[in-house]
Amino acid sequence: MSESTSSGSLNNRVMGDPELKRLLIVDDEETIRLALSKFLRSRGYDVDTAEATPAALAFLRQGHYSLMLCDIRMPGMSGLELVPIAHEIDADLAVIMLTAVNDAPTAAESISAGAMEYLTKPVDLLDLLAAIERVVHRRDLAVEQRNVERLIESEVARRTADLERERVVAMSACVDAIAHLVAMHESQDPYQSGTSTRVSAIARATAEEMGLPEETLEQVATAARLHDVGKIALRDAVLNKPGALSAEEFEQVKDHVRIGMEILAPLRQLHDVLDFVRDHHEHWDGSGYPRGIMGDHISIGGRILCAADAFIALTSRRAYRPAMSLEDTVDYLAAHAGGLIDPAVYVALQTVVAERRVLGLVAD
């Protein structure tokens, strides 16, 4: 296949290019080949001749031609069979069919095969010259139109890629800004400082242990950084209360998921990340909030965040209790696998903790 056809690159042949003066005559009658080639050479064309399809194909594979004059009826493969193969080699090749039979079906068949004109023998040389000029001009216009279309497609693709890069950069900046806001809010409480970072680390490691794809790993880690953004709207007296929460206070705490989703709503292009944030307090048995869904109806990221959030909360010191050890926390959560936590997520979390994959990020 020619370079312009196989690579999809732009065809840079223009009027005046020597290649546009190259013609190939394919006819099994030697007298016709000699007469036509002599006439066309006298008019400035570079002409090659072939007596049958094999020789014609050899010429076409060796170099570009602007046009092929091809007899319809030849020994072996006919001209009508040759044309589609020629266009596979060079899609820009113009074709004029020659035949001694002047009938509408043959003409229609020629055009259907890919020819641009159809002439009957004996050919008037001036008519032939005019036909060649018309066909070459049409071919040139078609090539230029295709070039323009490819340029447009290339520019659209380039600009689309630029816009996508800009969108990713802007989205990343927004995520970083919100995550920084969460971190600043956590830093005001010595018991909460760095919580989202630790949740993100163990959530990503758990997702990796579960064999989830890289894109999901990143989404889980991002959702973990953002999952508690709604808490910035809650009163510190409720968040840091040393004793048990009243029913009203617990409802206030639960509302942080709704508030967080409202804060993150403009980032709707995050798609799965937002689903993970929304679901991080849903429980495997359906006892969680805000929707009270259960099992596989909970997003995979939400299930992982639920387990990671519980693990970090239990291994972190609070004003009203000391931190639990890693081993005690894993044992404690084992009793909640199938209730609070997806059993498969628990198994992965247990492995991550046992292998100390996030050592230094989780309080020991």
Side-chain angles (χ1 to χ4, degrees):
M1 189 175 290
S2 69
E3 177 183 354
S4 63
T5 304
S6 62
S7 67
S9 60
L10 296 183
N11 188 319
N12 62 359
R13 283 177 270 174
V14 296
M15 294 301 292
D17 190 316
E19 288 184 352
L20 291 178
K21 306 292 284 186
R22 295 194 69 202
L23 306 183
L24 177 62
I25 299 173
V26 186
D27 198 302
D28 61 320
E29 296 185 42
E30 183 177 7
T31 55
I32 292 179
R33 294 198 306 272
L34 291 175
L36 294 183
S37 61
K38 180 178 180 181
F39 170 73
L40 292 173
R41 286 178 183 131
S42 71
R43 296 306 177 110
Y45 287 97
D46 180 7
V47 182
D48 287 319
T49 63
E51 74 283 0
T53 293
L57 291 176
F59 276 119
L60 291 170
R61 292 186 177 109
Q62 290 171 4
H64 292 297
Y65 293 87
S66 60
L67 182 140
M68 178 174 70
L69 292 172
C70 184
D71 189 18
I72 290 181
R73 289 177 172 80
M74 296 183 293
M77 184 181 292
S78 71
L80 294 177
E81 294 173 305
L82 168 62
V83 173
I85 301 174
H87 281 152
E88 288 181 5
I89 298 172
D90 186 352
D92 296 327
L93 180 68
V95 177
I96 295 177
M97 302 303 291
L98 303 175
T99 182
V101 180
N102 184 12
D103 65 275
T106 303
E109 193 175 2
S110 299
I111 300 302
S112 177
M116 299 177 73
E117 292 229 10
Y118 169 91
L119 299 175
T120 58
K121 303 175 185 177
V123 179
D124 181 271
L125 296 181
L126 293 181
D127 289 344
L128 172 63
L129 186 62
I132 290 174
E133 291 174 351
R134 284 196 307 271
V135 167
V136 168
H137 180 64
R138 285 170 57 193
R139 167 195 173 279
D140 183 61
L141 291 178
V143 169
E144 291 305 309
Q145 179 179 356
R146 188 156 54 249
N147 285 346
V148 170
E149 291 172 353
R150 288 173 180 168
L151 283 171
I152 293 173
E153 291 172 359
S154 177
E155 180 61 21
V156 169
R158 184 193 66 79
R159 184 55 183 155
T160 299
D162 288 344
L163 290 173
E164 177 61 17
R165 283 191 292 270
E166 292 170 6
R167 186 194 68 79
V168 170
V169 170
M171 189 65 64
S172 178
C174 289
V175 168
D176 288 344
I178 295 173
H180 181 69
L181 180 65
V182 172
M184 290 289 291
H185 182 261
E186 292 175 347
S187 68
Q188 297 174 13
D189 179 359
Y191 301 113
Q192 294 286 342
S193 183
T195 294
S196 294
T197 299
R198 294 196 298 275
V199 172
S200 181
I202 198 163
R204 192 187 197 286
T206 300
E208 185 176 19
E209 173 63 23
M210 295 178 70
L212 299 180
E214 181 65 30
E215 181 182 9
T216 304
L217 304 186
E218 293 302 322
Q219 291 170 338
V220 167
T222 299
R225 295 174 65 200
L226 305 176
H227 76 287
D228 271 346
V229 63
K231 287 185 176 179
I232 64 177
L234 301 184
R235 292 183 294 116
D236 290 341
V238 174
L239 289 176
N240 301 324
K241 185 176 179 178
L245 297 175
S246 67
E248 180 183 357
E249 289 169 337
F250 184 55
E251 288 301 317
Q252 292 179 27
V253 171
K254 288 167 62 176
D255 204 36
H256 82 276
V257 177
R258 178 190 62 79
I259 296 170
M261 293 305 294
E262 290 181 356
I263 293 172
L264 299 175
L267 306 182
R268 57 186 178 276
Q269 290 176 313
L270 289 178
H271 302 301
D272 290 343
V273 171
L274 299 186
D275 291 342
F276 298 169
V277 172
R278 178 198 60 202
D279 293 349
H280 78 277
H281 276 296
E282 300 290 355
H283 296 171
W284 183 251
D285 62 5
S287 63
Y289 62 88
R291 297 186 294 161
I293 56 178
M294 64 186 299
D296 291 335
H297 293 291
I298 307 169
S299 63
I300 183 62
R303 284 177 263 156
I304 293 171
L305 288 183
C306 177
D309 195 31
F311 181 85
I312 295 301
L314 292 169
T315 55
S316 299
R317 185 166 61 92
R318 294 290 184 259
Y320 50 90
R321 62 163 175 80
M324 292 176 63
S325 69
L326 299 181
E327 290 75 15
D328 288 346
T329 300
V330 169
D331 291 342
Y332 177 85
L333 291 178
H336 294 276
L340 171 72
I341 302 172
D342 175 354
V345 173
Y346 171 76
V347 171
L349 175 64
Q350 182 184 40
T351 301
V352 167
V353 175
E355 296 179 358
R356 296 295 196 272
R357 295 189 193 175
V358 287
L359 187 65
L361 293 177
V362 179
D364 222 336

